[in-house]
Amino acid sequence: MPEDILTELRSIDPLLERKIDDGLLVRHRREFLGEIVATEPTERIKDGRPAGVRRRDRRFLPLGIAVSIVALVALVLVLSGRGGSAEDRSAYASQLVEFAESTPLILLDSPGFSVTYVTGDAAAGMMVFEKEQAGRPAISAELNWFERPSFGARVKDWAHDSNRLRPDPPVLGTKAIAFENSYSRGLHDITAIWRLDGRTLEIRSAVPEVADFRDMLASLKQVDSTTWLDAMPPSVIRSADPTDELGKMLEGIPLPPGFDESDIRIPGLAQDRYQFGAIVAGTVTCSWFAYWVEARKNGNEAAEREAVEAMSTARDWSVLKEMSKTGGFPTAIWSFAESMPSGKWVGRPLEGDVSSGLGCPSLGVTFTNERKQ
Amino acid sequence: MAAIQRSRKEQNREVDFSALVESNESAILSYALRRVPSREDAVDVVAETFLVAWRRIDQVPDGENARLWLYGVARNQVANLNRGELRRRRLSERVRQDLITASPERFEPGREPELQLTEALSALPADDREILTLLAWDELRPAEIAKVMGLRGPTTRSRIHRAKRRLREQLEIRNSTDPGANPAGPNRIEEERA
């Protein structure tokens, strides 16, 4: 068999005569290993750890998942603006109070720390506290609560590959069992576990000194639901009426003919603005692509052009501009939009990647020959 | 005693992993650079590939098979990237930027024959494209390609043959529709058929 075609293919090797510098990662081995070792807990989820323990970098949620998560924060604020004083307990809607009371109602009462993320329910949940530091990476602490696995199983799990800290640190009137998971780049990665009201609680943070972690535990407080809700960040609170928020997000976005705002699948309870924005902008984008696919199928050049022009405005959509400060979802939409004139994505028909990348079926938008979810 | 044993086990794990990175990082970065649009994406693919390797270090085969196993993982990560599902920026920004800066730019075909060949390759089914590029760019043997792609051994050669045929057909289509653009093209195909 002639091999000419392979010889020719070598001529278009994207790395033709471009030598990779051997040892790129080796030079960074320590740091690279540190990065990878630090991600180990994520893997363990698959081995039976609860979802609430998952390290979730919400800024980089996979696109398809970003628009399909349904168990996010259930926060609805009745009053406009956020928060309320202890005396106006009625300020919060009952479902909001219910959600708050399903959590352990714990706050980290330490200067500079604030709540940046909450998710979950009574069975398993997570909240993140963060403290900004000038010129240095922020310190974050991730608090998880869960009913399963049991406290004993969890301790055994950590004890398997981490060093126990002695003495056991006090926390919220009891003693926790703490483990140092790793020491990397000047930070002790420590986890403390304890029981509270039938659930297991676990807090994890990477701190410069072990004493910092002990101080952190000592700063944990149990509060009432109003105080807890007062501490929620604006990013996880929105107005009681989701259509208000929806209307604001849709401002300036061209909508496809026949598009019905009520078709946007807003979960029954609110989400943080990034996830909500992903649902709104994702649904509109998917709908435009569905329109575009149909137009191309029918040879309707005017409609095809209409879709391309509409999506060419995506860089001006305020919701995407806002989201771009947090994560990569807008970039994906912009990239897809800019590929519309060619109709190709990495050499393949564009629509397949748009559908899977944005999770269009889960948003209720299907293209030709797709099955609705 | 148990703690000491665990510590040694962990140390061994890191040593194994370091050796795996050292032996294969260049090949996997090359693989990724050839198949994704940007150096940034390639670095993400590499990071995610070695993350999987770290998690499954006990399952990574020995010797040369380790590289093939990594190719298989990287292949999935490229697919994830194209589906928009790759978890981004696993690495710290400093490592990431160093890697991006140190990685070579992709070669951009500029002449018409190269463009036609690139288009023809792009028009192939993904598996055909992967088979041919693993052969021509990554210089894997058919048996190795079978391992990377999970093909049954006996079918691999026929798959290679079919992929080559389809590539020639695609080239022919392009040459016949725009003969003036590539005077060398038709002759080249005829030579192959001879």
Side-chain angles (χ1 to χ4, degrees):
Chain A
M1 177 182 296
E3 290 300 309
D4 305 48
I5 198 78
L6 290 183
T7 305
E8 288 186 43
L9 271 180
R10 287 185 193 105
S11 74
I12 60 163
D13 179 351
L15 291 184
L16 188 68
E17 296 176 1
R18 284 162 174 77
K19 181 165 167 48
I20 299 291
D21 180 4
D22 289 332
L24 277 170
L25 286 173
V26 172
R27 283 203 294 277
H28 288 292
R29 180 179 298 154
R30 188 180 179 83
E31 196 162 349
F32 182 57
L33 268 173
E35 293 286 335
I36 283 187
V37 172
T39 66
E40 196 176 13
T42 307
E43 172 69 3
R44 288 182 181 155
I45 293 162
K46 294 173 184 168
D47 301 330
R49 287 190 181 183
V53 184
R54 185 189 300 262
R55 278 200 159 193
R56 176 172 293 147
D57 187 339
R58 60 213 173 277
R59 290 169 299 172
F60 307 123
L61 280 176
L63 298 178
I65 295 172
V67 292
S68 63
I69 289 173
V70 293
L72 287 176
V73 185
L75 297 180
V76 181
L77 194 63
V78 164
L79 293 183
S80 61
R82 63 174 283 252
S85 63
E87 53 268 22
D88 50 32
R89 288 175 178 276
S90 61
Y92 294 107
S94 60
Q95 65 263 48
L96 193 57
V97 174
E98 273 174 32
F99 171 73
E101 291 180 346
S102 75
T103 79
L105 290 172
I106 287 176
L107 293 176
L108 180 54
D109 186 16
S110 178
F113 275 100
S114 59
V115 180
T116 57
Y117 190 66
V118 188
T119 185
D121 54 28
M126 176 181 79
M127 55 194 301
V128 177
F129 305 93
E130 287 184 342
K131 178 184 183 179
E132 296 295 333
Q133 300 192 109
R136 285 182 294 166
I139 294 179
S140 74
E142 189 177 298
L143 175 72
N144 288 280
W145 62 90
F146 45 91
E147 293 174 347
R148 294 281 183 276
S150 69
F151 174 77
R154 189 69 176 151
V155 169
K156 190 177 172 188
D157 192 13
W158 278 113
H160 177 71
D161 55 8
S162 300
N163 299 318
R164 185 163 171 178
L165 289 182
R166 301 282 189 178
D168 293 339
V171 58
L172 294 168
T174 185
K175 287 281 182 72
I177 295 178
F179 296 97
E180 177 157 358
N181 317 311
S182 67
Y183 178 73
S184 174
R185 286 176 287 154
L187 295 173
H188 299 267
D189 181 0
I190 304 175
T191 301
I193 313 170
W194 70 98
R195 274 181 282 217
L196 183 72
D197 302 330
R199 287 185 290 204
T200 300
L201 271 76
E202 184 176 285
I203 189 166
R204 181 172 185 173
S205 184
V207 289
E209 302 292 339
V210 174
D212 297 331
F213 188 81
R214 291 181 182 276
D215 290 345
M216 189 181 280
L217 287 183
S219 300
L220 292 176
K221 301 278 188 271
Q222 252 192 316
V223 298
D224 62 35
S225 58
T226 299
T227 307
W228 190 85
L229 289 166
D230 286 347
M232 291 303 103
S235 63
V236 294
I237 294 181
R238 62 183 179 85
S239 91
D241 183 357
T243 57
D244 281 356
E245 202 71 28
L246 176 62
K248 287 177 194 162
M249 284 190 175
L250 286 174
E251 278 174 17
I253 299 180
L255 301 177
F259 183 85
D260 187 344
E261 291 176 20
S262 65
D263 288 341
I264 296 177
R265 292 182 172 182
I266 302 172
L269 296 168
Q271 308 196 7
D272 70 40
R273 284 184 61 81
Y274 187 88
Q275 302 301 331
F276 190 69
I279 290 171
V280 174
T283 305
V284 173
T285 301
C286 289
S287 300
W288 268 121
F289 270 93
Y291 186 76
W292 176 77
V293 167
E294 192 67 20
R296 284 163 65 95
K297 181 180 155 197
N298 298 329
N300 185 344
E301 291 182 3
E304 182 182 344
R305 202 162 44 246
E306 183 187 7
V308 172
E309 286 173 3
M311 285 307 301
S312 73
T313 67
R315 283 196 181 272
D316 299 323
W317 298 357
S318 58
V319 60
L320 294 183
K321 285 182 183 173
E322 177 189 329
M323 289 168 67
S324 68
K325 296 169 190 161
T326 309
F329 189 85
T331 305
I333 287 187
W334 295 332
S335 301
F336 287 145
E338 284 156 13
S339 299
M340 280 178 104
S342 72
K344 297 280 186 186
W345 180 261
V346 200
R348 294 194 302 269
L350 176 60
E351 54 266 31
D353 287 286
V354 172
S355 182
S356 60
L358 300 182
C360 294
S362 70
L363 295 169
V365 183
T366 53
F367 303 162
T368 311
N369 299 329
E370 282 188 335
R371 194 190 306 169
K372 204 163 191 169
Q373 285 186 0
Chain B
M1 177 63 80
I4 293 171
Q5 286 171 344
R6 279 196 299 276
S7 173
R8 283 179 181 160
K9 184 180 172 188
E10 287 303 307
Q11 285 174 0
N12 289 340
R13 199 170 178 233
E14 291 199 8
V15 168
D16 289 347
F17 181 71
S18 286
L20 186 74
V21 171
E22 187 169 4
S23 305
N24 297 291
E25 60 172 296
S26 174
I28 300 305
L29 182 59
S30 298
Y31 175 90
L33 281 165
R34 286 173 168 129
R35 287 165 178 83
V36 299
S38 70
R39 293 186 293 182
E40 287 85 345
D41 288 337
V43 166
D44 286 334
V45 167
V46 171
E48 202 71 18
T49 299
F50 282 113
L51 174 68
V52 172
W54 167 254
R55 289 166 166 174
R56 301 182 191 169
I57 191 75
D58 296 335
Q59 301 168 25
V60 179
D62 294 330
E64 186 56 27
N65 282 333
R67 178 168 300 185
L68 301 179
W69 186 89
L70 287 168
Y71 272 124
V73 175
R75 186 165 177 260
N76 288 334
Q77 300 312 321
V78 170
N80 287 345
L81 182 91
N82 292 335
R83 286 196 297 266
E85 292 174 0
L86 188 65
R87 190 189 301 267
R88 301 304 183 93
R89 282 177 259 189
R90 175 78 67 182
L91 296 172
S92 70
E93 273 307 305
R94 192 175 76 82
V95 177
R96 193 177 142 79
Q97 283 308 319
D98 279 3
L99 285 179
I100 291 168
T101 306
S103 305
E105 292 281 4
R106 284 165 55 91
F107 166 74
E108 294 296 336
R111 290 175 293 134
E112 194 59 32
E114 291 164 351
L115 288 173
Q116 287 200 347
L117 189 55
T118 303
E119 284 179 10
L121 186 65
S122 299
L124 295 182
D127 275 1
D128 286 352
R129 192 166 56 240
E130 184 74 346
I131 285 171
L132 292 176
T133 53
L134 283 171
L135 269 174
W137 297 349
D138 302 289
E139 300 181 335
L140 297 194
R141 297 189 299 272
E144 293 173 325
I145 292 172
K147 286 182 182 172
V148 171
M149 298 184 63
L151 303 176
R152 283 183 23 238
T155 66
T156 307
R157 287 196 179 275
S158 63
R159 296 282 298 269
I160 291 172
H161 179 79
R162 188 175 70 189
K164 286 180 177 175
R165 176 173 54 77
R166 286 177 172 166
L167 181 60
R168 289 192 196 101
E169 287 170 358
Q170 287 295 331
L171 268 176
E172 193 167 16
I173 290 168
R174 281 157 179 77
N175 287 329
S176 62
T177 53
D178 190 10
N182 180 18
N187 294 334
R188 184 178 57 208
I189 289 170
E190 288 307 314
E191 284 167 12
E192 279 186 5
R193 285 177 171 170

mmCIF file of all heavy atoms in Angstrom, chain B residues 158-176:
data_model
loop_
_atom_site.group_PDB
_atom_site.id
_atom_site.type_symbol
_atom_site.label_atom_id
_atom_site.label_comp_id
_atom_site.label_asym_id
_atom_site.label_seq_id
_atom_site.Cartn_x
_atom_site.Cartn_y
_atom_site.Cartn_z
ATOM 1 N N SER B 158 -7.829 -2.862 8.633
ATOM 2 C CA SER B 158 -8.876 -2.518 7.670
ATOM 3 C C SER B 158 -9.412 -1.114 7.935
ATOM 4 O O SER B 158 -9.770 -0.386 7.004
ATOM 5 C CB SER B 158 -9.997 -3.556 7.686
ATOM 6 O OG SER B 158 -10.617 -3.566 8.949
ATOM 7 N N ARG B 159 -9.445 -0.728 9.219
ATOM 8 C CA ARG B 159 -9.889 0.634 9.539
ATOM 9 C C ARG B 159 -8.890 1.656 8.999
ATOM 10 O O ARG B 159 -9.280 2.724 8.504
ATOM 11 C CB ARG B 159 -10.037 0.804 11.056
ATOM 12 C CG ARG B 159 -11.113 -0.063 11.699
ATOM 13 C CD ARG B 159 -12.492 0.508 11.478
ATOM 14 N NE ARG B 159 -12.661 1.816 12.072
ATOM 15 C CZ ARG B 159 -13.108 2.020 13.321
ATOM 16 N NH1 ARG B 159 -13.418 0.977 14.087
ATOM 17 N NH2 ARG B 159 -13.269 3.235 13.790
ATOM 18 N N ILE B 160 -7.628 1.341 9.105
ATOM 19 C CA ILE B 160 -6.600 2.250 8.580
ATOM 20 C C ILE B 160 -6.757 2.371 7.069
ATOM 21 O O ILE B 160 -6.732 3.483 6.510
ATOM 22 C CB ILE B 160 -5.190 1.725 8.939
ATOM 23 C CG1 ILE B 160 -4.954 1.844 10.455
ATOM 24 C CG2 ILE B 160 -4.113 2.483 8.155
ATOM 25 C CD1 ILE B 160 -3.676 1.167 10.932
ATOM 26 N N HIS B 161 -6.921 1.237 6.442
ATOM 27 C CA HIS B 161 -7.067 1.234 4.980
ATOM 28 C C HIS B 161 -8.275 2.085 4.566
ATOM 29 O O HIS B 161 -8.200 2.905 3.648
ATOM 30 C CB HIS B 161 -7.233 -0.217 4.501
ATOM 31 C CG HIS B 161 -7.421 -0.335 3.032
ATOM 32 N ND1 HIS B 161 -6.373 -0.249 2.134
ATOM 33 C CD2 HIS B 161 -8.549 -0.498 2.282
ATOM 34 C CE1 HIS B 161 -6.841 -0.372 0.904
ATOM 35 N NE2 HIS B 161 -8.157 -0.526 0.963
ATOM 36 N N ARG B 162 -9.375 1.893 5.297
ATOM 37 C CA ARG B 162 -10.594 2.630 4.961
ATOM 38 C C ARG B 162 -10.405 4.132 5.185
ATOM 39 O O ARG B 162 -10.855 4.961 4.382
ATOM 40 C CB ARG B 162 -11.751 2.117 5.817
ATOM 41 C CG ARG B 162 -13.094 2.684 5.410
ATOM 42 C CD ARG B 162 -14.198 2.058 6.201
ATOM 43 N NE ARG B 162 -14.147 2.489 7.603
ATOM 44 C CZ ARG B 162 -14.896 1.966 8.573
ATOM 45 N NH1 ARG B 162 -15.719 0.978 8.307
ATOM 46 N NH2 ARG B 162 -14.815 2.412 9.815
ATOM 47 N N ALA B 163 -9.723 4.483 6.255
ATOM 48 C CA ALA B 163 -9.504 5.906 6.545
ATOM 49 C C ALA B 163 -8.653 6.556 5.450
ATOM 50 O O ALA B 163 -8.935 7.680 5.010
ATOM 51 C CB ALA B 163 -8.827 6.058 7.910
ATOM 52 N N LYS B 164 -7.636 5.839 4.999
ATOM 53 C CA LYS B 164 -6.800 6.377 3.913
ATOM 54 C C LYS B 164 -7.628 6.568 2.644
ATOM 55 O O LYS B 164 -7.497 7.580 1.948
ATOM 56 C CB LYS B 164 -5.642 5.422 3.636
ATOM 57 C CG LYS B 164 -4.540 5.428 4.686
ATOM 58 C CD LYS B 164 -3.477 4.430 4.274
ATOM 59 C CE LYS B 164 -2.317 4.438 5.253
ATOM 60 N NZ LYS B 164 -1.337 3.390 4.929
ATOM 61 N N ARG B 165 -8.445 5.562 2.372
ATOM 62 C CA ARG B 165 -9.269 5.657 1.160
ATOM 63 C C ARG B 165 -10.205 6.863 1.244
ATOM 64 O O ARG B 165 -10.346 7.628 0.281
ATOM 65 C CB ARG B 165 -10.082 4.369 0.993
ATOM 66 C CG ARG B 165 -11.046 4.401 -0.184
ATOM 67 C CD ARG B 165 -11.708 3.048 -0.424
ATOM 68 N NE ARG B 165 -12.369 2.502 0.750
ATOM 69 C CZ ARG B 165 -13.560 2.907 1.214
ATOM 70 N NH1 ARG B 165 -14.215 3.860 0.589
ATOM 71 N NH2 ARG B 165 -14.084 2.362 2.284
ATOM 72 N N ARG B 166 -10.795 7.030 2.379
ATOM 73 C CA ARG B 166 -11.725 8.158 2.522
ATOM 74 C C ARG B 166 -10.996 9.497 2.409
ATOM 75 O O ARG B 166 -11.545 10.458 1.868
ATOM 76 C CB ARG B 166 -12.444 8.075 3.878
ATOM 77 C CG ARG B 166 -13.501 6.999 3.912
ATOM 78 C CD ARG B 166 -14.127 6.901 5.279
ATOM 79 N NE ARG B 166 -15.270 6.005 5.276
ATOM 80 C CZ ARG B 166 -15.836 5.522 6.374
ATOM 81 N NH1 ARG B 166 -15.366 5.837 7.557
ATOM 82 N NH2 ARG B 166 -16.875 4.717 6.303
ATOM 83 N N LEU B 167 -9.801 9.551 2.914
ATOM 84 C CA LEU B 167 -9.039 10.797 2.802
ATOM 85 C C LEU B 167 -8.726 11.092 1.336
ATOM 86 O O LEU B 167 -8.851 12.235 0.874
ATOM 87 C CB LEU B 167 -7.750 10.709 3.624
ATOM 88 C CG LEU B 167 -6.876 11.975 3.607
ATOM 89 C CD1 LEU B 167 -7.633 13.175 4.162
ATOM 90 C CD2 LEU B 167 -5.585 11.764 4.401
ATOM 91 N N ARG B 168 -8.340 10.058 0.617
ATOM 92 C CA ARG B 168 -8.067 10.268 -0.815
ATOM 93 C C ARG B 168 -9.325 10.749 -1.542
ATOM 94 O O ARG B 168 -9.272 11.623 -2.399
ATOM 95 C CB ARG B 168 -7.568 8.971 -1.451
ATOM 96 C CG ARG B 168 -6.176 8.573 -1.015
ATOM 97 C CD ARG B 168 -5.640 7.444 -1.891
ATOM 98 N NE ARG B 168 -4.488 6.829 -1.249
ATOM 99 C CZ ARG B 168 -4.532 5.685 -0.574
ATOM 100 N NH1 ARG B 168 -5.669 5.028 -0.464
ATOM 101 N NH2 ARG B 168 -3.440 5.194 -0.015
ATOM 102 N N GLU B 169 -10.441 10.144 -1.174
ATOM 103 C CA GLU B 169 -11.705 10.551 -1.815
ATOM 104 C C GLU B 169 -12.011 12.013 -1.530
ATOM 105 O O GLU B 169 -12.438 12.762 -2.413
ATOM 106 C CB GLU B 169 -12.850 9.671 -1.303
ATOM 107 C CG GLU B 169 -12.814 8.261 -1.852
ATOM 108 C CD GLU B 169 -13.808 7.333 -1.143
ATOM 109 O OE1 GLU B 169 -14.490 7.800 -0.196
ATOM 110 O OE2 GLU B 169 -13.878 6.161 -1.527
ATOM 111 N N GLN B 170 -11.800 12.413 -0.309
ATOM 112 C CA GLN B 170 -12.046 13.804 0.050
ATOM 113 C C GLN B 170 -11.116 14.748 -0.709
ATOM 114 O O GLN B 170 -11.525 15.825 -1.152
ATOM 115 C CB GLN B 170 -11.881 14.010 1.557
ATOM 116 C CG GLN B 170 -13.007 13.442 2.397
ATOM 117 C CD GLN B 170 -14.327 14.151 2.140
ATOM 118 O OE1 GLN B 170 -14.361 15.330 1.796
ATOM 119 N NE2 GLN B 170 -15.427 13.419 2.261
ATOM 120 N N LEU B 171 -9.873 14.305 -0.837
ATOM 121 C CA LEU B 171 -8.925 15.130 -1.594
ATOM 122 C C LEU B 171 -9.348 15.237 -3.048
ATOM 123 O O LEU B 171 -9.271 16.298 -3.669
ATOM 124 C CB LEU B 171 -7.527 14.501 -1.522
ATOM 125 C CG LEU B 171 -6.616 14.986 -0.398
ATOM 126 C CD1 LEU B 171 -5.324 14.192 -0.425
ATOM 127 C CD2 LEU B 171 -6.322 16.480 -0.535
ATOM 128 N N GLU B 172 -9.812 14.121 -3.567
ATOM 129 C CA GLU B 172 -10.223 14.103 -4.966
ATOM 130 C C GLU B 172 -11.392 15.049 -5.191
ATOM 131 O O GLU B 172 -11.454 15.770 -6.184
ATOM 132 C CB GLU B 172 -10.612 12.674 -5.358
ATOM 133 C CG GLU B 172 -10.758 12.495 -6.851
ATOM 134 C CD GLU B 172 -10.825 11.029 -7.227
ATOM 135 O OE1 GLU B 172 -11.057 10.189 -6.328
ATOM 136 O OE2 GLU B 172 -10.655 10.734 -8.404
ATOM 137 N N ILE B 173 -12.325 15.028 -4.263
ATOM 138 C CA ILE B 173 -13.477 15.931 -4.382
ATOM 139 C C ILE B 173 -12.992 17.375 -4.471
ATOM 140 O O ILE B 173 -13.433 18.160 -5.314
ATOM 141 C CB ILE B 173 -14.408 15.767 -3.163
ATOM 142 C CG1 ILE B 173 -15.106 14.418 -3.225
ATOM 143 C CG2 ILE B 173 -15.426 16.897 -3.087
ATOM 144 C CD1 ILE B 173 -15.825 14.042 -1.937
ATOM 145 N N ARG B 174 -12.052 17.710 -3.610
ATOM 146 C CA ARG B 174 -11.563 19.092 -3.578
ATOM 147 C C ARG B 174 -10.767 19.433 -4.821
ATOM 148 O O ARG B 174 -10.869 20.539 -5.354
ATOM 149 C CB ARG B 174 -10.733 19.311 -2.311
ATOM 150 C CG ARG B 174 -11.603 19.522 -1.106
ATOM 151 C CD ARG B 174 -10.952 19.206 0.203
ATOM 152 N NE ARG B 174 -11.913 19.474 1.263
ATOM 153 C CZ ARG B 174 -12.926 18.667 1.574
ATOM 154 N NH1 ARG B 174 -13.107 17.548 0.901
ATOM 155 N NH2 ARG B 174 -13.783 18.986 2.521
ATOM 156 N N ASN B 175 -10.003 18.497 -5.295
ATOM 157 C CA ASN B 175 -9.228 18.757 -6.506
ATOM 158 C C ASN B 175 -10.121 18.898 -7.724
ATOM 159 O O ASN B 175 -9.897 19.727 -8.593
ATOM 160 C CB ASN B 175 -8.217 17.632 -6.732
ATOM 161 C CG ASN B 175 -7.069 17.726 -5.743
ATOM 162 O OD1 ASN B 175 -6.711 18.813 -5.320
ATOM 163 N ND2 ASN B 175 -6.522 16.581 -5.370
ATOM 164 N N SER B 176 -11.165 18.069 -7.753
ATOM 165 C CA SER B 176 -12.028 18.103 -8.938
ATOM 166 C C SER B 176 -12.895 19.343 -8.958
ATOM 167 O O SER B 176 -13.252 19.844 -10.013
ATOM 168 C CB SER B 176 -12.907 16.851 -8.984
ATOM 169 O OG SER B 176 -13.738 16.834 -7.847
#
